[in-house]
């Protein structure tokens, strides 16, 4: 807390860097093993990978069909985010500006979804998705993620909109705009900070989700990255070099996005959860 | 994410507006009801209706094929009599307690460390938080290697190298250890997540309060205990609730790392209900377990809202 960089701060710096080094051991193992062939791993698994062996990466890319998995994950994540933000912000606008008992009841009903474990509805929903012929489709996943993430999305938007002055929208309405235009052209642009948070938090959740795509997409050509990696690891379980190269490739997209946006991601997480 | 039950928006910049909120809200021209209609429809379809059906299924013996008949509380009696399922209930609670205590304890220490004026603070924040953006199922596979039983691989190799060879273990294969090993990897992945929330709390503690306490002669620990800690209460609430709910529902990590084994040593409610449904086809029984899980989550959330929020103060 002291503003000077004194001796105690220096000691703390050393200690924290030490903690970070220990913390990064699994990541070191991941990268080292992914850069070794079978013999190298058998002889000295954790020595530095010199010379590095890059063949695992092209092998893993092909054998795990990561190209199509990345495409599937991207389509599902982007489409779900678009629908979530569109209908979530609309609903939150209504809920935030509705002082009636009905408005509050509806808000609580949505919040219930945050606490409710999805496993409770898992089997009935699986039957519904199956009956509707949506197993193994993008559409099924988009509807699922929209529904399951709406409570959280609406919660974030509602809190933000409540703190927003109503004058802008009212001015637009008095000028003759309809509610739809007032919202899309005046209110929605004002929501940009919270839209960023909503986007990041939901993107991380949807991209990383494993259970539902395993259930709804398993075995279909629409498998997402975590599902494909799960099958890939199961198949080559004893070949650590190959498996770890697959893990590196699969984790890379989200890590790159995170590193580019890290300031907003961390702020978004903090403020999103603070609200 | 039940932090979400907090009703006031916490952006400090907007908080002063909340006092006048009620007065102004009457002045809004309310948007029409159909703004909420699409969201309500999807939410009802994906969450409300299936969950309500789930509650009904929990009292039936449905196996997915034939007729389903109501069997009253039989499924719950079965759960109590089923050693594996009852064990999973105990495991789930133990795992949750371990994760809540250690993840948040470590998260708080990390937050205090990277909140200080050290030069590497920005890089360290990114490093500690990064695992939280990676899929839990992939982190579980990485940690399967870290927990490799071979003496010259993973964590065992490190222990050997630093002269702690006596501590080498079969981390996931030893029934008395497997559950705690799973807890360890979950904590590794999400300690940075707790850290970020604590950091947000620490940034809200006014520097003047610390300076005043320092002038009054308070030491580091006293300042933490009497100034920082009370003001961190909202961050504690959120962290405890998130990690509790996460711990109770834990599935991906267990499924990928141990699949509940060895034996049933690391089985959780989520893995048991998954197996009952999709391996054995006992849909009714599986949903009963899900209902028990839901009641646990609801009960714990309510208790935490009352107790933790009660001690929140504002600066």
């Amino acid at each position: 807390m002291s503003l000077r960089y004194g001796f105690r701060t220096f000691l703390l710096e050393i200690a924290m860097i030490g903690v970070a080094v220990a913390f990064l051991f699994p990541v070191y193992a991941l990268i080292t093993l992914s850069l070794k062939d079978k013999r190298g791993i058998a002889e000295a698994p954790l020595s530095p990978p010199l010379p590095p062996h890059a063949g695992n990466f092209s092998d893993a890319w092909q054998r795990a069909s990561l190209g199509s998995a990345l495409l599937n994950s991207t389509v599902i994540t982007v489409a779900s985010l678009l629908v979530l933000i569109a209908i979530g912000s609309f609903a939150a606008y209504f809920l935030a500006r509705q002082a009636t008992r009905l408005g509050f009841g509806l808000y609580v009903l949505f919040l219930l979804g945050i606490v409710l474990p999805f496993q409770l509805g898992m089997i009935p929903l699986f039957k519904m998705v199956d009956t509707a012929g949506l197993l193994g489709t993008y559409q099924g996943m988009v509807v699922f993620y929209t529904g399951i993430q709406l409570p959280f999305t609406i919660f974030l938007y509602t809190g933000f909109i409540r703190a927003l002055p109503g004058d802008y929208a009212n001015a637009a309405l008095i000028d003759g705009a309809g509610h739809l235009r007032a919202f899309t052209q005046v209110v929605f642009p004002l929501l940009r900070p919270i839209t960023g948070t909503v986007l990041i938090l939901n993107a991380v959740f949807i991209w990383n989700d494993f259970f539902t795509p395993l259930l709804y997409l398993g075995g279909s050509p629409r498998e997402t990255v975590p599902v494909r990696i799960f099958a890939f690891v199961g198949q080559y379980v004893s070949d650590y070099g190959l498996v770890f190269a697959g893990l590196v490739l699969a984790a890379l997209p989200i890590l790159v996005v995170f590193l580019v946006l890290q300031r907003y991601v961390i702020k978004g997480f903090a403020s999103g959860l603070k609200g | 994410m039940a932090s979400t039950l907090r009703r006031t928006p916490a952006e400090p910049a907007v908080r002063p507006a909340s006092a006048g909120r009620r007065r102004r809200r009457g002045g809004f021209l309310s948007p029409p009801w159909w703004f909420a209609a699409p969201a309500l429809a999807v939410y009802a379809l994906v969450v409300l209706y299936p969950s309500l059906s789930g509650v009904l299924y929990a009292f039936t013996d449905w196996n997915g094929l034939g007729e389903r008949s109501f069997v009253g509380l039989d499924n719950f009696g079965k759960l109590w009599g089923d050693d594996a399922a009852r064990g999973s209930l105990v495991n789930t609670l133990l795992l949750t307690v371990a994760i809540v205590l250690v993840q948040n304890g470590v998260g708080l220490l990390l937050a205090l460390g990277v909140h200080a004026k050290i030069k590497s603070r920005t890089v360290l924040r990114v490093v500690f938080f990064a695992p939280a953006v990676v899929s839990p199922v992939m982190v579980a596979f990485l940690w399967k290697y870290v927990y490799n039983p071979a003496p010259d691989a993973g964590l065992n190799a490190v222990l050997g190298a630093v002269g702690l060879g006596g501590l080498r273990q079969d981390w996931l294969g030893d029934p008395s250890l497997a559950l705690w090993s799973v807890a360890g990897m979950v904590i590794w992945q999400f300690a940075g997540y707790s850290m970020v929330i604590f950091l947000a709390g620490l940034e809200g503690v006014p520097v003047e309060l610390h300076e005043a306490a320092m002038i009054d002669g308070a030491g580091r620990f006293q300042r933490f205990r009497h100034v920082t800690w009370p003001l961190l209460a909202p961050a504690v609430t959120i962290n405890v609730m998130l990690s509790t709910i996460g711990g109770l529902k834990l599935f991906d990590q267990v499924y990928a790392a141990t699949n509940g084994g060895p034996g049933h040593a690391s089985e959780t409610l989520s893995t048991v209900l998954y197996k009952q449904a999709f391996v054995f086809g006992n849909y009714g029984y599986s949903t009963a377990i899900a209902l028990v899980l839901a009641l646990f989550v609801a009960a714990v959330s309510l208790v935490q809202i009352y107790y933790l929020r009660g001690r929140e103060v504002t600066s």
Side-chain angles (χ1 to χ4, degrees), chain A residues 127-178:
Chain A
K127 292 280 144 194
M128 286 164 64
V129 174
D130 191 11
T131 312
L134 290 175
L135 284 183
T137 64
Y138 289 148
Q139 295 91 317
M141 295 310 293
V142 172
V143 174
F144 172 80
Y145 284 130
T146 305
I148 211 87
Q149 289 303 94
L150 263 174
F152 183 55
T153 303
I154 286 180
F155 162 74
L156 289 177
Y157 270 125
T158 308
F160 191 88
I161 296 172
R162 276 185 184 156
L164 210 67
D167 309 344
Y168 301 105
N170 287 351
L173 290 172
I174 290 162
D175 285 349

Side-chain angles (χ1 to χ4, degrees), chain A residues 6 48 52 56 64 81 90 113 139 153 166 203 205 215 218 237 258:
Chain A
N56 291 327
L81 289 174
F90 265 83
Q139 295 91 317
T153 303
F205 173 84
L215 214 56
V237 69
F258 165 65

Side-chain angles (χ1 to χ4, degrees), chain B residues 170-242:
Chain B
D170 183 359
W171 301 97
L172 292 172
D174 180 342
S176 64
L177 256 182
L179 190 69
W180 309 115
S181 300
V182 170
M185 73 183 167
V186 175
I187 291 162
W188 179 83
Q189 186 174 14
F190 293 113
Y193 197 103
S194 301
M195 175 195 79
V196 164
I197 295 169
F198 279 128
L199 261 179
L202 286 174
E203 268 151 28
V205 178
V207 184
E208 303 85 61
L209 283 182
H210 267 275
E211 286 167 352
M214 229 187 301
I215 290 165
D216 290 345
R220 265 167 200 258
F221 179 75
Q222 281 182 311
R223 271 179 282 150
F224 175 76
R225 173 69 189 82
H226 297 291
V227 178
T228 310
W229 181 245
L231 290 174
L232 271 185
V236 174
T237 308
I238 294 166
N239 264 328
V240 168
M241 294 205 60
L242 284 177

Side-chain angles (χ1 to χ4, degrees), chain B residues 3-304:
Chain B
S3 54
T4 44
L5 294 173
R6 290 166 57 78
R7 255 173 282 134
T8 40
E11 248 83 356
V14 298
R15 188 172 270 165
S18 64
R21 191 201 299 150
R22 189 168 307 154
R23 223 173 326 119
R24 268 197 283 108
R25 212 194 286 177
F28 290 138
L29 301 168
S30 277
W33 64 271
W34 55 261
F35 268 58
L40 190 61
V42 179
Y43 178 61
L45 188 76
V46 175
V47 178
L48 290 180
Y49 176 73
S51 296
L52 279 176
S53 318
V55 173
L56 291 181
Y57 281 25
F59 299 93
T60 70
D61 62 359
W62 197 42
N63 60 13
L65 300 168
E67 287 293 297
R68 54 172 191 261
S69 51
F70 277 86
V71 292
L73 294 171
D74 280 9
N75 286 328
F76 300 92
K78 190 170 156 194
L79 172 62
W80 194 246
D82 176 349
D83 280 344
R86 206 177 53 223
S88 78
L89 210 149
V90 176
N91 284 348
T92 305
L93 295 177
L94 287 175
L95 200 56
T96 305
V97 171
I99 290 172
V100 170
L101 292 178
V102 184
Q103 181 185 309
N104 292 318
V106 173
L108 178 60
L109 290 177
L110 292 178
L112 289 170
V114 300
H115 184 62
K117 297 270 179 281
I118 59 174
K119 294 195 165 74
S120 52
R121 55 196 291 186
T122 318
V123 178
L124 292 182
R125 286 177 190 192
V126 173
V127 165
F128 289 130
F129 185 69
V133 299
V134 176
S135 173
V137 74
M138 294 201 257
V139 169
F141 286 135
L142 170 58
W143 275 77
K144 256 183 115 157
Y145 171 75
V146 173
Y147 287 143
N148 198 306
D152 64 340
L155 185 54
N156 285 341
V158 176
L159 289 173
V162 298
L164 293 170
L167 292 178
R168 290 191 281 223
Q169 307 282 347
D170 183 359
W171 301 97
L172 292 172
D174 180 342
S176 64
L177 256 182
L179 190 69
W180 309 115
S181 300
V182 170
M185 73 183 167
V186 175
I187 291 162
W188 179 83
Q189 186 174 14
F190 293 113
Y193 197 103
S194 301
M195 175 195 79
V196 164
I197 295 169
F198 279 128
L199 261 179
L202 286 174
E203 268 151 28
V205 178
V207 184
E208 303 85 61
L209 283 182
H210 267 275
E211 286 167 352
M214 229 187 301
I215 290 165
D216 290 345
R220 265 167 200 258
F221 179 75
Q222 281 182 311
R223 271 179 282 150
F224 175 76
R225 173 69 189 82
H226 297 291
V227 178
T228 310
W229 181 245
L231 290 174
L232 271 185
V236 174
T237 308
I238 294 166
N239 264 328
V240 168
M241 294 205 60
L242 284 177
S243 49
T244 307
I245 295 176
L248 288 173
K249 295 187 194 172
L250 204 66
F251 176 81
D252 294 9
Q253 293 91 333
V254 184
Y255 185 69
T258 68
N259 196 15
H264 293 291
S266 62
E267 206 87 71
T268 63
L269 283 176
S270 291
T271 58
V272 170
L273 74 85
Y274 174 80
K275 287 176 188 171
Q276 285 298 338
F278 297 106
V279 180
F280 304 117
N282 295 327
Y283 289 173
Y285 184 41
S286 168
T287 324
I289 300 172
L291 185 55
V292 170
L293 178 65
L295 292 175
F296 261 109
V297 175
V300 172
S301 308
L302 282 178
V303 169
Q304 287 182 345

